[in-house]
Amino acid sequence: NGNGQKYPSVTSVIGMDDNFFMPADELAQYGARGTVIHKQIELFLKDGKWREPKEIPEVAFHVMTVMKGTLNLSLDDVNFVNFYKDYPFMVVWQEKEVVNHEFKYGGRFDILCVIQSENKGKWDKIEGVQFDVPTILDIKTSAQLDKVKGFTQQAAYAKTDEGIKQIGLIHLTKENVCGYAKPQLTPKIDHYWTIFINQRNKFKERY
């Protein structure tokens, strides 16, 4: 923060990095795959062009980590482009760094957007969707989606901006033939915020 104090990140507070049981090289491969896919999505949402990983110089090291890795992970077994056709949204901001000085944490969220009532796509089939309000969406590329952890993470980001009304998770997964799962949305930011604050307090005791 501005006072030279170092705040923990949201992901470290809620133990997104709790993969102690996983060998470091495997963790690096999963992390590299996530980084590449996130960057592809970020660029696609800027200009509508989907790039192959090799066309993005800044992720070259991560591409190599995946390609040479022992897990044989794929970089093209999920499909964000088709997800976006089915579930369109208007991007307000991407990869935004945020800080909450009151509760002393920081982080970076994926997408701040508005799901527009004039361009619903399949969003109206999603339970509890709110149209035309500021929404944080997060891309998940892990094999399993931990909804509670994901929503807790997004609630922490949401509490850095009073305008945010709903949070959501986009799970890109090869388990579905289409390359993605139905998005998850909730307006219950306060519910997940309570979980985050409990974890923030525990984190303070440990560190």
Side-chain angles (χ1 to χ4, degrees):
N1 74 347
N3 316 326
Q5 258 184 308
K6 205 163 160 35
Y7 293 162
S9 69
V10 171
T11 48
S12 53
V13 169
I14 64 177
M16 276 288 179
D17 314 317
D18 279 356
N19 292 299
F20 302 125
F21 54 86
M22 194 184 285
D25 65 319
E26 291 187 10
L27 198 54
Q29 290 169 63
Y30 284 116
R33 177 177 177 268
T35 299
V36 173
I37 294 170
H38 271 79
K39 182 52 74 175
Q40 287 176 293
I41 291 168
E42 182 191 344
L43 295 174
F44 170 75
L45 288 173
K46 276 182 184 160
D47 65 12
K49 178 174 176 252
W50 186 258
R51 293 160 177 80
E52 291 303 313
K54 61 179 183 296
E55 296 176 72
I56 311 172
E58 66 199 273
V59 294
F61 174 77
H62 299 290
V63 173
M64 195 73 81
T65 303
V66 173
M67 302 320 271
K68 290 197 177 314
T70 51
L71 295 172
N72 297 317
L73 299 177
S74 172
L75 288 168
D76 57 11
D77 55 0
V78 295
N79 196 327
F80 180 78
V81 175
N82 280 355
F83 171 87
Y84 191 65
K85 279 181 195 152
D86 281 348
Y87 299 97
F89 50 83
M90 184 186 74
V91 176
V92 177
W93 208 285
Q94 289 195 81
E95 295 295 328
K96 185 170 167 63
E97 290 198 355
V98 291
V99 175
N100 184 317
H101 289 296
E102 185 185 350
F103 293 95
K104 296 186 167 59
Y105 67 84
R108 176 189 293 184
F109 62 69
D110 288 348
I111 300 162
L112 174 63
C113 69
V114 174
I115 299 167
Q116 296 173 292
S117 54
E118 64 193 37
N119 187 16
K120 285 182 178 163
K122 293 183 178 175
W123 282 110
D124 54 358
K125 296 187 175 71
I126 302 299
E127 191 185 343
V129 63
Q130 296 183 75
F131 291 104
D132 308 317
V133 300
T135 302
I136 288 182
L137 293 179
D138 193 61
I139 312 286
K140 298 294 183 198
T141 57
S142 51
Q144 305 297 323
L145 180 66
D146 186 331
K147 216 163 72 168
V148 173
K149 212 172 230 191
F151 281 148
T152 302
Q153 180 190 12
Q154 303 323 304
Y157 298 143
K159 285 293 184 178
T160 64
D161 181 338
E162 286 174 11
I164 291 164
K165 300 292 182 225
Q166 75 184 337
I167 49 180
L169 303 171
I170 298 171
H171 187 208
L172 300 177
T173 171
K174 65 176 184 182
E175 298 307 315
N176 295 358
V177 179
C178 61
Y180 56 87
K182 217 164 66 165
Q184 307 278 340
L185 283 177
T186 182
K188 295 180 182 170
I189 295 169
D190 287 341
H191 169 75
Y192 292 100
W193 170 245
T194 307
I195 297 173
F196 177 77
I197 284 303
N198 285 337
Q199 291 171 331
R200 179 69 187 95
N201 291 335
K202 276 186 199 144
F203 188 87
K204 260 192 228 157
E205 291 161 18
R206 286 209 319 255
Y207 298 97

